[in-house]
Amino acid sequence: MKHEPTLSYARACDERDPLRGFRERFALPIGPDGTPLLYLCGHSLGLMPTEARRIVEEELDCWARKGVLGHEEGTRPWIPYYRNMAAGLASLCGARREEVVAMNSLTVNLHLMLASFYRPAGRRVKILIESGAFSSDRHAVASQLAWHGQDPQVSLIELAPRPGEDTLSQEALEACLAEHGSEIALVLWPGVQYRTGQAFDIEKLVRAAQRAGCIAGIDLAHAIGNLPLRLHDCNVDFAVWCSYKYLNAGPGAIGGCFIHERHLQSGPAARLQGWWGHEARTRFRMEPQFVAEPGAAAWQISNPPILSAAPLIASLEVFAAADIERLREKSLALTGFLEHLLGPLHPDVRLITPRDPAARGCQLSIRIAGPDRRGRRVLDALAARGVVCDWREPDTIRVAPVPLYNSYEEVFHFGERLAQVLREHS
Ligand SMILES: Cc1ncc(COP(=O)(O)O)c(C=O)c1O
């Protein structure tokens, strides 16, 4: 970075920022003093697009005025509701429309995908994940192994970073696949690791997994809406996500999944079914024979929660207007600015997210050196100064400037407040 990271420099960056107007399309949480909080927590819960309220109200009005007729009438009839989200999700995933579907929530979708794609056979029965995977992902794969009569103690491989390191290399993954690949049925990997913020090269990791004969599934919880994705071209077998982080669709919002076209064409080995995956045209004949709706939509089981899907429509409209490639460009600069501000705070602050911008998204994860859970004390002191970021046990603070609604000025203030708090809490 050539310039001194001063407040006037940050303001000049904001003035030049072609995406700065998008901030006005979000509700900014307000602190007790009536001013906006310094919200750097989009990796946990994204902010509300103001249009979300209108769309939810439209659905409530439709329900109030039309009752059951809303299934087929109104601005967005409820029966084919998933179609309202297909184009936007496909664009963010780098997928064909028929490869994506909004449904359920992340862990439920993961179970549905594992039901289809984890098919232990012969010696190939194991599942490979990263050690330190998000707890819910681990619970899902361990319980799937047990469901298939496998002992998770034996059949769950958890790849750990090398001693003293925080992140995992592609080489380590490849070495593990070279050693154990013939016993591994499925690899489940994050697009972006939730604790460290490390972004993986999806194309490379999928290629390595498939070369070893494994199915490659990706958890996009921290990747969708954060980084541009090319799931179709990267030949990902399946992916799952939630929509409440960078997708800004609200607490508990409807999740989603991707299934590669080639699995749609060949037909899955297995699929847990319900009436909403049945071909829409004949669904209400209520016949016993299951006829699949084309595409990933066949994996739907129940009719969708309209009120938790409506905000996603508003959010996807914002993404379509902003363009994920432009957002990534700003994100690289914004997160790079944050990294620059953290530099002089070393060794009090240690960055655990990779320094390579290609190996991370919006989020930086930091550790605070010092005794008596100093990191936790620092986080609490930041909160008292109106900063919203978060903590992941045992010792990590996660901070994510989000290009849709965060400014360079906010990142600057974060750096200042952190420096102040560190001085006060030694
Ligand atoms: C990486 C990852 N996996 C799984 C989950 C669980 O999501 P859900 O509660 O929507 O199933 C989360 C939630 O934050 C997550 O970050």
Side-chain angles (χ1 to χ4, degrees), residues 105-108 134 136-137 192 194 219 221-222 242 244-245:
S105 46
L106 193 163
T107 313
V108 172
F134 195 87
S136 199
D137 295 27
V192 173
Y194 81 98
D219 179 337
H222 291 259
C242 51
Y244 39 79
K245 300 179 185 295

Side-chain angles (χ1 to χ4, degrees), residues 48 51-64 71 76 78 81 85 248-255 303-314:
M48 185 186 99
E51 275 293 283
R53 190 186 298 280
R54 181 183 62 77
I55 298 193
V56 170
E57 276 174 5
E58 268 177 27
E59 301 306 352
L60 288 170
D61 283 348
C62 183
W63 177 25
H71 282 302
R76 286 173 296 272
W78 300 326
Y81 211 75
M85 293 156 279
N248 308 317
I254 194 165
N303 74 95
I306 301 301
L307 299 180
S308 93
L312 179 57
I313 297 175

Side-chain angles (χ1 to χ4, degrees), residues 189-207:
W189 216 253
V192 173
Q193 218 282 344
Y194 81 98
R195 191 192 306 272
T196 64
Q198 179 182 15
F200 291 93
D201 183 329
I202 292 179
E203 184 164 26
K204 275 196 190 157
L205 81 85
V206 167
R207 203 181 307 132

Side-chain angles (χ1 to χ4, degrees), residues 378-409:
V378 164
L379 183 87
D380 294 343
L382 283 169
R385 285 173 164 73
V387 176
V388 185
C389 49
D390 73 358
W391 178 258
R392 277 291 168 264
E393 291 295 343
D395 57 4
T396 303
I397 294 178
R398 305 186 300 177
V399 189
V402 171
L404 271 174
Y405 49 76
N406 285 127
S407 64
Y408 292 84
E409 182 169 343

Side-chain angles (χ1 to χ4, degrees), residues 163-194:
E165 292 185 7
D166 294 303
T167 53
L168 270 160
S169 66
Q170 172 75 19
E171 292 69 43
L173 175 63
E174 293 191 10
C176 177
L177 286 165
E179 194 180 338
H180 303 286
S182 63
E183 297 179 343
I184 298 173
L186 185 142
V187 178
L188 175 69
W189 216 253
V192 173
Q193 218 282 344
Y194 81 98

Side-chain angles (χ1 to χ4, degrees), residues 271 275 277-282 287-294 298:
R271 179 176 48 220
W275 73 321
H278 189 283
E279 177 190 60
R281 198 172 54 84
T282 54
E287 286 169 351
Q289 187 63 33
F290 184 85
V291 180
E293 174 82 341

Side-chain angles (χ1 to χ4, degrees), residues 204-231:
K204 275 196 190 157
L205 81 85
V206 167
R207 203 181 307 132
Q210 291 172 346
R211 207 184 303 123
C214 316
I215 287 281
I218 311 287
D219 179 337
L220 297 174
H222 291 259
I224 192 163
N226 178 2
L227 297 165
L229 299 166
R230 295 169 38 248
L231 301 187

Side-chain angles (χ1 to χ4, degrees), residues 277-336:
H278 189 283
E279 177 190 60
R281 198 172 54 84
T282 54
R283 181 181 299 138
F284 287 90
R285 290 185 196 159
M286 313 300 248
E287 286 169 351
Q289 187 63 33
F290 184 85
V291 180
E293 174 82 341
W299 270 258
Q300 294 176 100
I301 289 186
S302 300
N303 74 95
I306 301 301
L307 299 180
S308 93
L312 179 57
I313 297 175
S315 171
L316 291 172
E317 283 171 7
V318 177
F319 273 100
D323 184 80
I324 188 74
E325 296 289 346
R326 291 202 306 160
L327 287 168
R328 172 64 173 158
E329 213 176 293
K330 175 173 170 187
S331 171
L332 285 167
L334 207 53
T335 296

